[in-house]
Amino acid sequence: MNIQATTQAVQDIDCDALIVAVAHHAIGGGKQEALFSSPATTVDRVLDGVLRNVCADGEFKGDLGELLTIHTMGRIAAKRVIVVGLGTQEKIRTHTLCFASQIAAHHAQDIGLHQVALALEWDNKHINNVQAVQAQVEGALLGSYTFRRYQHSDRKGRGIGQFLLLVDKMDELEQALRRGQTLAEATNFARDLVNEPPNVLTPYELAHRASAMAKQFALECEILDRKKMEELGMGGLLAVTRGSAEPPQFIILRYRGADQGSDKGMALVGKGITFDTGGISIKPADAMDEMKGDMAGAAAVLGAMQAIAALRPAINVTALIPTCENMPSGTAYHPGDILRIMNGKTIEIVNTDAEGRLILADALSYAVQQGLSPIIDLATLTGGVVVALGHIMTGLFCNNEQLTKDILTAGEAAGEKFWPMPLDEEYAEQIKSDIADIKQSGGRVASSVTAAKILEQFVGNTQWAHLDIAGTSYVDSVRPYQEKGATGVGVRTLVELAVQRAN
Ligand code: BES
Ligand code: MN
Ligand code: ZN
């Protein structure tokens, strides 16, 4: 996507749509009044007060995400103005701007516009110029994202090809623009990986795309094959992959932004099941196609690594991605099997559909062995977290209070929501086994918690957080700000966390 900054006057920007923002504030007596940004004020003036008129009529209130399109009939250079609401003025933050930009860009993309100008600037004590620029660009690129690689469409050639961003000072803001672009492009890279069909995005292809990205962004890349996994004793990954004809891969990417010293840096671990049939404990056919998204944790980690490599924070980060398919076949692993994970612990299999924790157990053991800390894992781990938190919040399980706070803060800055979940020892009762060190599944009640308790067995005393993104990484219906499919959740929070830890 081509994005250019411009210092042209609002009324001179030649484009298919000019996006401006309007908020509102209370004026007493339960009434509210529209508040115009400076570009909106200019547009209103040159169009003889049409915006004020629409607002005075109550047709447009400036509620968050509200949209209004006005054709300019040649009176300014832009063919139309898209007004987007920012909601209550006091509540406007940078993520509000990002969200509004996302909605407006999604709409512009939807109606087939090609060249779109962003003029959503907003001044208040919570937002500076630099943040406003980054947020607008980020939102515009996220909102206009589409995945149409496999479609012959009658709308070919339609869709946004260029964004123009209205700024007052060129040089200073160029960096913020590029930062917004970096974050959104990394998120969209993750979305592409998730949206790819499982016949295309096999474990081998995922490793290929990871190494291609690593090459482009100058990251170190190492891919472990089955033989190496056997040498290392990765019994979880080797068991889950057994039913599949596709070879498993263990992807390692390294970013070095700080001296090695005693601090090895942090580990980002992503679940990379490229298709989850459930295996011998096979899933129902309904919506099984969505299980192509069972590698969203891996995708988020790869997206984050791409942005980290581009932004270069002073910190070391290692990405660890176990990837394979979970298939039923004559060679598949069985309920009843006892596996030995890389760190030596044995685990009794009760349901082959609880495969994520097994491949993660090996990856977490590997991270601990490498001395990486903290360890953050992202996984579409349980249906239980979807029941608990829906598609809005990601479940956050963490064995360290400070790390919990840091992730919540990073999520807040990135505009992604996390909800702290328990790891109390009482839950471990459910994963006791009669014949192995632990049982693989604790049954239906508190299934997200018991899954996290299993992961906890493999991190020892290392600081660790587990993000269960089963509900937030994929949406099965369109939203006003994004199309159906992958969301890219986690990417921006992980980048924010890495940047904050570097500072
Ligand atoms: N990949 C699924 C979890 C999932 C469910 C992701 C819905 C996205 C949307 C995971 O491998 C799984 O099957 N979990 C089972 C575990 C159970 C069999 C113990 C679950 O949570 O139902
Ligand atoms: Mn499963
Ligand atoms: Zn799964």
Side-chain angles (χ1 to χ4, degrees):
M1 181 72 70
N2 176 355
I3 315 175
Q4 299 297 328
T6 173
T7 51
Q8 280 180 291
V10 186
Q11 61 269 39
D12 296 335
I13 301 175
D14 189 0
C15 57
D16 295 317
L18 170 73
I19 302 175
V20 299
V22 168
H24 57 65
H25 69 158
I27 51 168
K31 289 197 179 128
Q32 62 182 40
E33 183 184 63
L35 277 175
F36 285 32
S37 62
S38 125
T41 307
T42 308
V43 166
D44 182 57
R45 182 168 42 77
V46 293
L47 295 181
D48 297 331
V50 63
L51 293 190
R52 294 247 170 247
N53 215 47
V54 176
C55 292
D57 269 358
E59 207 174 301
F60 185 83
K61 300 182 186 67
D63 289 341
L64 182 57
E66 198 182 351
L67 290 172
L68 168 74
T69 306
I70 295 170
H71 284 245
T72 62
M73 310 306 283
R75 299 178 68 183
I76 63 174
K79 287 199 190 67
R80 50 180 88 56
V81 175
I82 296 179
V83 188
V84 60
L86 294 178
T88 313
Q89 189 218 11
E90 297 79 40
K91 290 191 186 160
I92 298 172
R93 302 290 183 273
T94 48
H95 59 79
T96 321
L97 276 190
C98 178
F99 182 72
S101 178
Q102 217 173 329
I103 289 191
H106 187 255
H107 177 67
Q109 177 72 269
D110 217 37
I111 59 175
L113 305 185
H114 191 67
Q115 197 176 40
V116 174
L118 305 167
L120 293 95
E121 65 171 58
W122 195 264
D123 281 326
N124 73 15
K125 62 174 187 276
H126 302 289
I127 305 171
N128 63 40
N129 250 348
V130 174
Q131 292 166 321
V133 163
Q134 183 187 323
Q136 285 184 63
V137 171
E138 218 175 292
L141 293 180
L142 293 173
S144 58
Y145 171 84
T146 58
F147 186 77
R148 296 280 177 276
R149 198 166 289 171
Y150 299 96
Q151 202 164 45
H152 293 103
S153 110
D154 53 342
R155 310 208 323 174
K156 219 171 196 148
R158 279 161 63 99
I160 300 172
Q162 190 188 30
F163 282 109
L164 292 163
L165 178 80
L166 191 78
V167 295
D168 45 11
K169 281 176 260 109
M170 228 26 179
D171 300 348
E172 199 179 301
L173 298 173
E174 179 73 18
Q175 207 188 344
L177 186 160
R178 295 305 155 205
R179 200 183 139 84
Q181 184 174 12
T182 294
L183 287 164
E185 283 177 356
T187 306
N188 290 342
F189 168 55
R191 293 166 88 177
D192 274 348
L193 293 173
V194 172
N195 285 329
E196 282 287 6
N199 59 329
V200 172
L201 199 94
T202 58
Y204 185 83
E205 177 64 14
L206 183 62
H208 176 71
R209 294 204 187 179
S211 79
M213 182 276 282
K215 199 163 178 200
Q216 192 189 341
F217 286 83
L219 291 164
E220 282 174 38
C221 175
E222 187 184 349
I223 314 273
L224 311 184
D225 61 7
R226 193 193 301 265
K227 194 163 155 275
K228 190 77 197 170
M229 292 167 202
E230 282 164 1
E231 275 168 39
L232 290 169
M234 294 184 161
L237 181 54
L238 287 165
V240 176
T241 193
R242 274 187 55 180
S244 169
E246 299 289 338
Q249 311 276 309
F250 192 94
I251 306 164
I252 305 170
L253 301 184
R254 294 190 186 86
Y255 164 75
R256 294 185 210 279
D259 289 340
Q260 231 16 30
S262 57
D263 183 20
K264 293 272 170 72
M266 67 174 178
L268 302 180
V269 178
K271 172 179 173 182
I273 296 291
T274 60
F275 197 70
D276 183 11
T277 64
I280 296 298
S281 315
I282 199 162
K283 288 180 181 295
D286 250 15
M288 199 201 270
D289 59 301
E290 286 182 16
M291 283 302 124
K292 70 174 184 177
D294 211 16
M295 34 56 70
V301 168
L302 291 174
M305 290 303 280
Q306 172 173 316
I308 289 168
L311 297 171
R312 302 214 60 78
I315 184 176
N316 296 325
V317 188
T318 303
L320 302 171
I321 297 170
T323 174
C324 69
E325 285 184 330
N326 186 21
M327 300 290 282
S329 87
T331 58
Y333 79 129
H334 330 85
D337 285 356
I338 296 179
L339 314 177
R340 191 180 297 277
I341 302 299
M342 187 182 163
N343 72 347
K345 285 202 180 174
T346 58
I347 181 161
E348 176 195 0
I349 303 306
V350 293
N351 186 324
T352 62
D353 197 10
E355 82 296 341
R357 58 202 75 184
L358 303 174
I359 68 168
L360 289 171
D362 281 324
L364 295 171
S365 306
Y366 187 90
V368 170
Q369 201 192 69
Q370 298 285 308
L372 300 165
S373 173
I375 303 172
I376 321 280
D377 81 69
L378 281 88
T380 46
L381 202 64
T382 65
V385 83
V386 193
V387 175
L389 302 175
H391 301 290
I392 311 294
M393 291 205 174
T394 293
L396 164 61
F397 300 83
C398 186
N399 64 3
N400 180 279
E401 239 174 84
Q402 188 56 49
L403 185 57
T404 303
K405 280 190 194 140
D406 291 349
I407 291 172
L408 291 174
T409 308
E412 176 104 16
E416 298 183 327
K417 293 175 189 257
F418 296 87
W419 193 257
M421 302 283 278
L423 281 170
D424 294 51
E425 208 38 46
E426 291 94 315
Y427 289 104
E429 273 304 311
Q430 284 170 243
I431 54 164
K432 280 195 173 145
S433 166
D434 296 328
I435 54 172
D437 293 336
I438 46 169
K439 199 162 71 173
Q440 170 220 23
S441 161
R444 270 174 57 84
V445 303
S447 66
S448 307
V449 184
T450 52
K453 287 303 281 181
I454 289 170
L455 299 182
E456 192 188 31
Q457 305 288 314
F458 300 92
V459 296
N461 298 322
T462 308
Q463 282 188 29
W464 156 77
H466 156 61
L467 313 181
D468 194 338
I469 57 171
T472 48
S473 57
Y474 199 92
V475 287
D476 55 11
S477 55
V478 291
R479 289 167 157 180
Y481 54 92
Q482 69 188 185
E483 69 165 19
K484 181 178 152 170
T487 63
V489 74
V491 173
R492 289 175 300 145
T493 300
L494 290 178
V495 177
E496 186 65 36
L497 187 71
V499 169
Q500 282 180 9
R501 290 186 74 87
N503 294 337

